[in-house]
Amino acid sequence: MKFLRRLAKWFAVTVVLLVTSGAVTLVYLANSRLPELAGTVTHPSLHGEVRVVRDSVGVPHITAENEPDAYFALGYCMAQDRLFQMELMRRLARGELAEVAGAPALPIDRAVRAFRLRAKAEAYFADSDAQPPELTALMDAYLAGVNAFIAEGPIPFELIVLGLEVRPFTKVDCLAVAAILPITFADGIRGDPLVTMLKAKHPDLDIDALFPGYTLETPVTIMETLEEAAAYLESRREEKEPDEPIRYEASLAVVNEWLAIFGAISQRFGPAMGSNSWVLAPSRTRSGEAILANDPHIAFSNPSILYEAHLKYGDFENYGFHLPPIPIPLMGHNRQRAWALTMTAQDDTDFYLERFHPDNPDKVMYKGEWVDVETATETIKVRFSDDVECRVRVTPHGPVLNDFLKAYHGYDDAPVSLSWIWQHLPYTDITAFYRMGHAQNCEDFGEAVSLITSPGMNISFADADGNIAWWATGKIPIRPDGMNSKQILDGASGKDEILGYLPFDQNPHLKNPECGFIASANNKPTVKPVGAVKDIQGYWQPTDRAGRIEELVSARSDWTVEALKAVQFDDTSRAGPEVVAQLVDVIDAQRVLLTPWEQDVLDRLKTWDYRHNVDSVGATIYEYLNAAVLKRALTDEMGVDLFKVYATLADHWHFYKHFIGDEASPFWDDVSTTEREQRPEIVLAAFKDMTRRLTRRLGGDVSRWTWGRAHTMEFKHPFGYLPVLDQIFNLGPYPASGGAQVLNNMLYDFAQDEFHVIAGPATRRLIDFATPEAAQVILPTGNSGNFMSPHYGDQAQRFMNGEYRRALLDAEDIERDKAHELRFVPEE
């Protein structure tokens, strides 16, 4: 026995030494692969000299004589700072992760290949007239810079460890990445199949009640006041026709598999959406100039999803926020204008139940006639295994999911196809963003945003002339009257086909409204008709954030950047007072069934101030109790897996905040029992579930159930998902204020036992045109993705604290803050 104990001790020590040695080796390797940020780079494609000054947070300030040279330097700098991230994004967008991670990544690759992103990108660039020649020259120069660094610079240590050879980047790679991001935001990708499955599973239940959207309240819209929206809706009340049932049959299997795989893809960007943006007219600000505020939300990662760079050449200047490896910034500003974005959440994806010819698998019924389908074969390389070939059919609607997911072995099992507006329209989005960056005034900018096709985005604008504006961009589909697009549709008859798209001049739009502000938070643009569309359809986020912005902004006419920092970091629950009142009434009525300790827990919820700061105990009880109630109420109808999908959708909160006060809802009954349960017993059982869950996680001392202990943020490097390596490569965990459905939107997975933050602001920006050179910004981690770089995580603590830093524009400020200087010169 002593020998066994000594052997075990020796083995444990050996493992620790090996792990430590391996970790030290990785750290050394990472340090040795840092790029040179100072010196001189020569290249034959350059036409003149380019100067790059990196400031104290690693942001490159690029000064050039012409546009192509500036973008060559941008490509080189971005590759220096983010090459590993760029490679992973490229592989995700092209469906090539299995070549790195092996067979476990194969389902993700198959699903991504179903989107046909690469094929669309290749077709776009094969058309020489698809984009302006100056944009083509810009992209070629940018890629020359990226590939110059790949050829001569130190390759990031992660790629060395993985044994990957980095091939040159192409324009197709850039466009594929530009497309993968928005598709993961489409709630219809998750929502439509879920509605279908639940309706088939419970034909006797009103499943649409679980997906109410804004039907249970007067919505906070972008274009109307609450009073205007209420009056219009009251004048238009009409009986809704029931949806025509569709036979789903075996199609449910492919839908279920699709939900599981797409969930893994969307985790890269965040399974739920939320972004805030508002612009204030001079009448609302102390400075008398317009102010822009924006914090777009996405899944957190390390490095951050956005990359900052400041470009100046000729009379052009822009401080931009880029998505590597895309050269055109998604957001930006200079001394004359600024723009911001959030997702509109309009419905631009559909699933269709297809009917293939019984004797010919290459023909499908479309609008009542048999038509040919396009067929393509994809080869996926799999590390440590043989290549995998996937044959996919593309119907007039889009790719057939069954073919990629291998859910079936025949053709009569109700195949399902995915239709996405992006697949069916000419791609002009990258031209739109290029022209937005070059717009000289509000009118030019409006013409540029008209080129955005899909996904739909809220674009906010402010300028030095005092203008504020907003556009709901993207093609808005015109659908048949009475069609419910939030379920799997009939692909054979033609009755569920999109009829066309609104012309852009009919899209919702505001400029210089009388109220002096425009706010968007993924909420519905308008309750009124837009052109031929009677009621614009979408997966609108709950009105909590939009309503809170309007409450705060409308209360003052002397806003400053400093005051607006508190608004962006606001953590007050707008729905909290009503939801807490309902919960407390139900539980208090059964107080005799609580122990004294449980009564203390309830009393802390009663006295909660509806804030989500890190010291709040009430916030912890509130959020965990809401999750427990919804889980108790719906898991019996949905099952665990479908409930996890439902919890990622905006409708879970649309439903819950009204359901909690609805004693008559059939969803209080547990369908797995013979009794008929009511609201009091379900809420009480959930309360006890919550106390047990928090006791297991945080202990029995309720005073230590602080939100900062329950709700934590860890910025994870791809290597940081492994034990031991997480302690080296990850940043945090940090106690996190904020939460779901508050302005400081630090999102977590509602269905999980632990509320670890997974998504939130990709940046926070505040720009006052009285002092645009003092714009306030912050990134979640840092501008460099290189572990061991001083800019790998130098902004993380400030971000968590709600602090900001200046985005430097003035040459004198940049020189004073200079950390490194890199020069690019033509090769003689």
Side-chain angles (χ1 to χ4, degrees):
M1 185 64 71
K2 288 183 179 180
F3 169 76
L4 291 177
R5 282 200 296 267
R6 285 197 299 269
L7 183 62
K9 185 177 181 180
W10 174 87
F11 180 75
V13 170
T14 301
V15 169
V16 169
L17 288 174
L18 287 173
V19 170
T20 303
S21 175
V24 169
T25 300
L26 281 178
V27 171
Y28 170 79
L29 183 59
N31 195 51
S32 69
R33 307 303 296 179
L34 290 177
E36 291 290 339
L37 303 183
T40 301
V41 174
T42 62
H43 198 272
S45 68
L46 291 167
H47 302 284
E49 185 172 321
V50 184
R51 184 170 181 258
V52 177
V53 173
R54 277 185 169 85
D55 62 24
S56 60
V57 291
V59 174
H61 299 266
I62 300 169
T63 305
E65 298 172 8
N66 57 74
E67 185 169 76
D69 285 356
Y71 277 89
F72 177 96
L74 173 66
Y76 195 96
C77 291
M78 193 182 291
Q80 282 184 309
D81 292 327
R82 299 291 188 93
L83 185 57
F84 179 52
Q85 179 189 38
M86 293 164 68
E87 178 65 15
L88 287 187
M89 292 292 286
R90 166 168 64 177
R91 288 184 175 277
L92 173 65
R94 292 177 65 104
E96 296 175 351
L97 286 177
E99 195 172 352
V100 178
L106 193 55
I108 294 177
D109 283 354
R110 283 174 168 162
V112 170
R113 300 277 181 117
F115 296 142
R116 307 288 289 153
L117 307 181
R118 186 174 60 189
K120 177 71 177 278
E122 288 170 346
Y124 171 76
F125 287 114
D127 181 359
S128 60
D129 297 325
Q131 62 179 5
E134 60 272 23
L135 179 55
T136 300
L138 175 157
M139 294 192 71
D140 288 341
Y142 164 82
L143 291 166
V146 171
N147 295 328
F149 177 75
I150 292 172
E152 64 189 40
I155 299 301
F157 86 99
E158 296 98 332
L159 299 174
I160 301 295
V161 170
L162 292 171
L164 295 180
E165 182 177 346
V166 184
R167 65 179 183 268
F169 275 74
T170 68
K171 288 182 283 191
V172 169
D173 296 331
C174 298
L175 187 51
V177 172
I180 190 65
L181 178 66
I183 192 64
T184 62
F185 280 130
D187 265 6
I189 294 285
R190 295 180 292 271
D192 294 2
L194 182 61
V195 171
T196 297
M197 295 191 73
L198 292 175
K199 285 185 174 181
K201 190 176 181 181
H202 298 288
D204 55 329
L205 284 176
D206 180 14
I207 295 301
D208 286 334
L210 296 171
F211 302 86
Y214 288 169
T215 60
L216 302 178
E217 62 184 312
T218 300
V220 179
T221 67
I222 298 173
M223 299 187 70
E224 294 94 20
T225 65
L226 276 175
E227 294 76 18
E228 289 169 344
Y232 179 79
L233 291 174
E234 183 61 32
S235 71
R236 301 284 295 180
R237 296 213 178 276
E238 55 189 34
E239 196 70 29
K240 182 180 180 298
E241 291 292 326
D243 300 321
E244 184 177 335
I246 298 176
R247 291 185 175 275
Y248 303 112
E249 300 170 350
S251 64
L252 296 183
V254 71
V255 169
N256 192 42
E257 188 173 352
W258 169 257
L259 285 172
I261 293 172
F262 187 77
I265 299 170
S266 64
Q267 283 292 337
R268 177 67 183 86
F269 300 103
M273 180 170 49
S275 299
N276 305 317
S277 185
W278 61 92
V279 282
L280 305 182
S283 61
R284 286 280 178 183
T285 69
R286 181 178 297 175
S287 69
E289 301 290 346
I291 293 180
L292 178 142
N294 182 219
D295 52 300
H297 304 159
I298 197 170
F300 285 121
S301 61
N302 194 11
S304 302
I305 195 70
L306 295 178
Y307 180 76
E308 291 182 45
H310 172 209
L311 275 67
K312 187 175 182 179
Y313 51 88
D315 59 357
F316 176 88
E317 183 174 23
N318 193 67
Y319 193 105
F321 292 78
H322 302 254
L323 174 68
I326 303 168
I328 309 299
L330 298 178
M331 299 164 289
H333 73 274
N334 57 26
R335 291 171 176 81
Q336 284 73 46
R337 50 99 187 102
W339 79 91
L341 62 83
T342 68
M343 306 304 290
T344 60
Q346 69 190 39
D347 186 5
D348 59 3
T349 58
D350 293 301
F351 288 87
Y352 284 91
L353 200 64
E354 301 287 12
R355 187 193 309 168
F356 280 89
H357 195 288
D359 301 319
N360 186 349
D362 292 327
K363 284 189 177 294
V364 68
M365 179 70 72
Y366 175 65
K367 295 183 177 180
E369 297 182 358
W370 295 113
V371 300
D372 292 333
V373 299
E374 177 189 344
T375 303
T377 300
E378 295 271 351
T379 300
I380 302 176
K381 294 185 178 298
V382 184
R383 195 169 197 176
F384 311 124
S385 186
D386 296 333
D387 294 353
V388 173
E389 282 200 348
C390 299
R391 179 178 178 269
V392 62
R393 291 165 295 169
V394 182
T395 75
H397 300 117
V400 178
L401 301 181
N402 312 54
D403 296 339
F404 270 104
L405 303 180
K406 299 296 184 185
Y408 299 98
H409 302 287
Y411 297 102
D412 356 332
D413 288 333
V416 176
S417 66
L418 169 66
S419 178
W420 175 25
I421 287 176
W422 188 87
Q423 297 165 327
H424 296 284
L425 295 172
Y427 182 78
T428 53
D429 296 50
I430 198 165
T431 303
F433 278 92
Y434 174 75
R435 290 182 175 171
M436 287 157 61
H438 285 75
Q440 297 298 306
N441 51 51
C442 189
E443 288 68 32
D444 290 348
F445 194 87
E447 291 180 10
V449 299
S450 70
L451 296 175
I452 296 173
T453 57
S454 175
M457 287 177 272
N458 292 304
I459 304 293
S460 302
F461 175 89
D463 67 21
D465 294 328
N467 294 305
I468 61 171
W470 157 83
W471 296 264
T473 68
K475 292 294 186 181
I476 297 176
I478 302 170
R479 293 186 164 97
D481 290 343
M483 169 186 164
N484 180 4
S485 64
K486 296 184 178 181
Q487 62 182 11
I488 293 182
L489 304 173
D490 179 359
S493 68
K495 69 182 183 65
D496 289 339
E497 301 301 323
I498 289 176
L499 304 177
Y501 301 94
L502 285 184
F504 182 76
D505 59 9
Q506 294 181 7
N507 279 29
H509 165 51
L510 286 173
K511 181 180 178 182
N512 297 329
E514 187 176 344
C515 65
F517 69 90
I518 308 169
S520 67
N522 317 110
N523 52 320
K524 192 171 186 174
T526 177
V527 295
K528 297 178 180 179
V530 285
V533 177
K534 292 181 180 178
D535 183 21
I536 186 172
Q537 295 298 304
Y539 295 85
W540 323 117
Q541 288 292 299
T543 59
D544 302 48
R545 286 182 293 110
R548 181 65 175 164
I549 293 171
E550 292 201 2
E551 287 172 5
L552 294 173
V553 169
S554 63
R556 292 178 58 172
S557 57
D558 63 344
W559 284 105
T560 64
V561 163
E562 285 302 312
L564 289 172
K565 289 179 180 179
V567 178
Q568 285 192 326
F569 211 61
D570 181 78
D571 56 20
T572 300
S573 171
R574 186 169 180 261
E578 178 61 29
V579 173
V580 168
Q582 294 289 345
L583 289 167
V584 167
D585 283 352
V586 173
I587 301 170
D588 233 0
Q590 306 173 81
R591 197 176 182 89
V592 295
L593 301 177
L594 302 180
T595 67
W597 178 81
E598 290 171 331
Q599 291 177 20
D600 177 48
V601 174
L602 180 61
D603 291 341
R604 289 175 185 269
L605 179 61
K606 282 184 182 180
T607 58
W608 180 44
D609 62 0
Y610 314 115
R611 295 277 312 281
H612 287 72
N613 54 62
V614 294
D615 297 322
S616 175
V617 172
T620 307
I621 297 169
Y622 172 76
E623 295 293 351
Y624 274 75
L625 179 55
N626 288 336
V629 171
L630 196 62
K631 188 178 292 187
R632 272 271 178 179
L634 298 184
T635 303
D636 55 308
E637 285 89 1
M638 295 185 180
V640 173
D641 291 338
L642 292 187
F643 178 78
K644 288 179 179 179
V645 176
Y646 182 68
T648 70
L649 301 175
D651 270 311
H652 89 266
W653 189 247
H654 287 305
F655 169 76
Y656 176 77
K657 63 184 180 180
H658 299 283
F659 165 70
I660 193 61
D662 183 4
E663 296 181 16
S665 173
F667 294 102
W668 289 117
D669 180 41
D670 185 343
V671 298
S672 65
T673 70
T674 55
E675 295 80 18
R676 184 169 184 83
E677 288 79 12
Q678 303 291 334
R679 182 175 69 152
E681 55 198 291
I682 295 298
V683 172
L684 181 63
F687 180 81
K688 291 179 178 289
D689 289 344
M690 175 270 296
T691 58
R692 286 191 294 268
R693 181 176 167 192
L694 283 172
T695 300
R696 284 196 304 269
R697 185 172 178 206
L698 302 178
D701 183 352
V702 181
S703 67
R704 300 193 69 241
W705 288 5
T706 57
W707 187 232
R709 292 185 67 216
H711 183 244
T712 59
M713 176 70 247
E714 184 174 9
F715 299 103
K716 294 186 177 182
H717 182 279
F719 284 7
Y721 288 87
L722 301 174
V724 179
L725 296 185
D726 60 340
Q727 303 297 311
I728 300 170
F729 296 103
N730 293 350
L731 301 172
Y734 302 96
S737 62
Q741 315 307 334
V742 298
L743 291 186
N744 185 22
N745 200 29
M746 301 288 276
L747 296 163
Y748 48 85
D749 192 334
F750 198 74
Q752 297 300 320
D753 286 336
E754 297 187 351
F755 286 179
H756 297 309
V757 180
I758 56 175
T763 179
R764 297 188 183 103
R765 304 166 63 216
L766 291 165
I767 302 157
D768 186 338
F769 277 96
T771 53
E773 70 282 355
Q776 298 290 292
V777 302
I778 195 74
L779 288 181
T781 56
N783 212 41
S784 174
N786 296 315
F787 178 68
M788 299 302 291
S789 164
H791 310 304
Y792 178 71
D794 56 345
Q795 299 180 55
Q797 187 63 67
R798 282 186 284 177
F799 174 85
M800 298 303 299
N801 293 343
E803 298 171 10
Y804 296 72
R805 59 174 180 76
R806 285 181 63 193
L808 303 179
L809 284 179
D810 285 352
E812 297 82 2
D813 292 335
I814 294 168
E815 286 300 316
R816 278 193 296 268
D817 201 43
K818 180 171 69 173
H820 306 280
E821 181 175 334
L822 187 63
R823 289 184 177 270
F824 296 82
V825 297
E827 190 174 90
E828 294 183 3

